[in-house]
Amino acid sequence: STAKVTPERIFSITCHPSRDHVIVCAGDKIGYVGMWKQDESNLSTNNITSNDDNAVSLFKLHNRPVSNLQWNNDGSQMTSISYDGSVRRLDANHTGTFQEVFATYNSSTKYRDKIGHGFDDSDKKAAWLQYGCLDPRNQEQGMFLST
């Protein structure tokens, strides 16, 4: 079967590691992440627009293309990385919501405590995340990012 998973052209795709369910996730060029749970009629999580006809759930997570999607090994979390300079992580087991875990910021003192402080200054070329992946040694805490 087929489904329209995102509104725009797909930039990234990943499959959930489950042996029991077919769950395909895709990120598009304007920041949407769509999840298609092919073997059930509904994917039940919070803050989602769902189309029960083809079991597609849609999240507006980013403002630019989603360059990478990756599930951790046990399928409890999915990470999305975008050209907009942000990284978000889905807690699939507990909350069903995404949380921002990294973003690029300018040098303003109000962002001084943020890990991405100083990466995105207006006097330089804006930083954007081109690619990223989870660190296989510590998928809960580590990732590699390329700007």
Side-chain angles (χ1 to χ4, degrees):
S1 60
T2 61
K4 177 75 172 164
V5 181
T6 61
E8 296 292 333
R9 186 169 62 91
I10 291 175
F11 254 58
S12 55
I13 193 164
T14 189
C15 293
H16 189 273
S18 172
R19 294 182 181 266
D20 302 322
H21 305 285
V22 177
I23 303 172
V24 179
C25 304
D28 77 5
K29 71 178 189 172
I30 61 172
Y32 281 96
V33 173
M35 301 177 108
W36 179 29
K37 191 168 184 179
Q38 186 178 9
D39 55 350
E40 291 187 19
S41 63
N42 192 4
L43 181 61
S44 176
T45 57
N46 299 328
N47 300 325
I48 298 175
T49 302
S50 181
N51 178 349
D52 292 335
D53 294 335
N54 58 10
V56 171
S57 299
L58 192 60
F59 301 82
K60 177 63 169 154
L61 300 178
H62 301 283
N63 295 317
R64 296 193 58 206
V66 179
S67 58
N68 191 309
L69 295 169
Q70 185 177 358
W71 286 97
N72 64 352
N73 289 335
D74 69 8
S76 63
Q77 297 180 341
M78 185 183 70
T79 303
S80 69
I81 300 170
S82 172
Y83 285 5
D84 69 8
S86 67
V87 178
R88 291 183 171 76
R89 184 170 289 149
L90 168 67
D91 179 350
N93 286 350
H94 298 94
T95 65
T97 59
F98 283 85
Q99 177 183 14
E100 186 173 84
V101 295
F102 178 84
T104 58
Y105 299 96
N106 64 29
S107 294
S108 170
T109 56
K110 70 181 178 179
Y111 301 120
R112 188 170 304 184
D113 63 335
K114 304 287 187 180
I115 194 169
H117 175 255
F119 276 85
D120 195 1
D121 281 331
S122 60
D123 61 331
K124 302 176 190 172
K125 187 174 180 178
W128 51 279
L129 299 177
Q130 184 172 9
Y131 182 76
C133 64
L134 298 178
D135 183 343
R137 299 165 296 175
N138 184 358
Q139 292 189 335
E140 307 306 314
Q141 303 273 334
M143 68 183 78
F144 299 102
L145 300 171
S146 167
T147 59

